[in-house]
Amino acid sequence: MAELAPHELRVLVAVAETGGFSAAAVRLGLTQSAVSHSVRGSEAKVGAVLFERGRGGASPTPAGERAVGLARRILRLYEVLGAEARGAGREPADAAGGVLRIAAFRSAALHLLPPALERLTARHPGIRPEVRVVRELGAGTAGEVAAGRADLGIATLNGTGPVPREGGAAGLLTGVLREEAYALVHPAGHPDPKALPLLDWDENCGSYTRDWWRAQDWIPRATVKAEDDAMVLTMVGRGLGMAILPELSLCEATDAVDITGLGPSGPVRRVGYVTTPESASTLAVRALIRELRSEKA
């Protein structure tokens, strides 16, 4: 198969992100015909249709989604090539540098990442972290990494998403950073918290909780769905119900709630990092993984 050149990869990414050949041409400073010609050439080289064309623009086919994700990842390697080469042979503090793109779900971004990033930037002042909060729904943070939009993600590893366990899936590398027990959270001093309505949020949908929940005859169906775990915690504190929350979500607990353990058979979730094989070899990602792992020490 003929290889795609960097400018062809940039065209594929631009078409996918702008939703059309005309908009991609404007972004890249090209003519629409040049963009169209480039995409047709790329499809011929790959041997697959990468975009569905229509009046509304262009949208990636399944083959196109995969190609665009890999294109982003390849282009990212071009971006970090210089920093990696310049860092070779330098002292550790000076070796890693440049932008480090991180995707994390809300509670991890608030409570797990900050101490690791504080140490990271103190030891490697040339690294500039960029953190985006991504909901753990659908592809979640792992999807951001697979699509080339993040160098590393903080994800739940034993849920129902694309990275269900430690090791690797969908071409990604993962590792567990911490295991979190779930707990029953209820209004402080309530005499019978199990009789309260259940509060829940959409991201709390992993198999590590659902399988356990189905075996508990005292847990009602959720009567209130909130936007995120912080809202659930606030509503519990207001006396509106009880909830089952993991440890990271309980970092923001106040005296308005009581926390009761669920025992050794209670659900546990694994929180870990997700990255690509190529990003895992870069100095910045390796440095961040070391700092994240040191949280367990």
Side-chain angles (χ1 to χ4, degrees):
M1 187 188 76
E3 296 179 354
L4 272 63
H7 70 272
E8 292 175 302
L9 301 178
R10 294 187 181 94
V11 168
L12 295 181
V13 172
V15 172
E17 292 182 349
T18 63
F21 291 1
S22 297
V26 171
R27 173 188 285 193
L28 298 171
L30 301 172
T31 64
Q32 180 178 345
S33 61
V35 169
S36 179
H37 178 76
S38 177
V39 171
R40 287 197 303 270
S42 295
E43 290 177 327
K45 290 179 180 180
V46 171
V49 176
L50 302 179
F51 292 95
E52 295 285 353
R53 284 83 157 169
R55 289 185 177 181
S59 59
T61 63
E65 290 281 3
R66 182 65 171 154
V68 169
L70 291 172
R72 287 196 191 96
R73 289 160 58 172
I74 293 167
L75 291 171
R76 179 59 174 160
L77 285 179
Y78 280 111
E79 292 177 6
V80 303
L81 186 151
E84 290 291 304
R86 289 190 297 272
R90 291 186 179 181
E91 292 297 321
D94 301 321
V99 173
L100 176 58
R101 307 170 306 161
I102 305 162
F105 58 91
R106 192 199 71 86
S107 56
L110 280 177
H111 305 296
L112 183 60
L113 267 178
L117 293 181
E118 184 179 17
R119 294 192 303 271
L120 177 74
T121 54
R123 293 172 180 166
H124 305 278
I127 294 179
R128 303 187 303 279
E130 292 181 355
V131 181
R132 288 188 305 110
V133 175
V134 176
R135 299 192 73 190
E136 278 289 76
L137 295 172
T141 57
E144 294 298 293
V145 174
R149 289 186 288 265
D151 304 314
L152 181 140
I154 304 298
T156 51
L157 300 184
N158 54 338
T160 55
V163 185
R165 60 190 176 276
E166 184 179 16
L172 302 179
L173 301 179
T174 71
V176 172
L177 296 172
R178 60 187 290 164
E179 294 189 346
E180 299 187 318
Y182 277 70
L184 173 65
V185 187
H186 52 88
H190 195 282
D192 188 12
K194 293 183 178 181
L196 291 169
L198 175 67
L199 306 177
D200 203 8
W201 79 105
D202 287 337
E203 288 175 90
N204 192 30
C205 59
S207 60
Y208 43 83
T209 53
R210 294 303 182 215
D211 291 347
W212 179 83
W213 283 17
R214 282 193 287 268
Q216 312 303 310
D217 57 10
W218 60 270
I219 301 179
R221 294 185 63 182
T223 54
V224 179
K225 280 288 185 75
E227 177 69 19
D228 57 37
D229 51 348
M231 187 179 295
V232 168
L233 193 58
T234 298
M235 294 172 74
V236 171
R238 294 283 184 176
L240 298 175
M242 58 87 171
I244 297 172
L245 294 170
E247 292 173 10
L248 274 176
S249 299
L250 298 176
C251 292
E252 301 161 72
T254 68
D255 293 340
V257 303
D258 285 339
I259 300 169
T260 303
L262 295 171
S265 63
V268 175
R269 75 172 181 180
R270 291 179 176 180
V271 176
Y273 67 83
V274 182
T275 189
T276 62
E278 63 270 17
S279 290
S281 67
T282 62
L283 296 168
V285 168
R286 285 161 52 196
L288 176 56
I289 290 174
R290 282 195 298 270
E291 298 302 337
L292 288 167
R293 287 196 177 281
S294 72
E295 287 291 297
K296 298 193 299 183

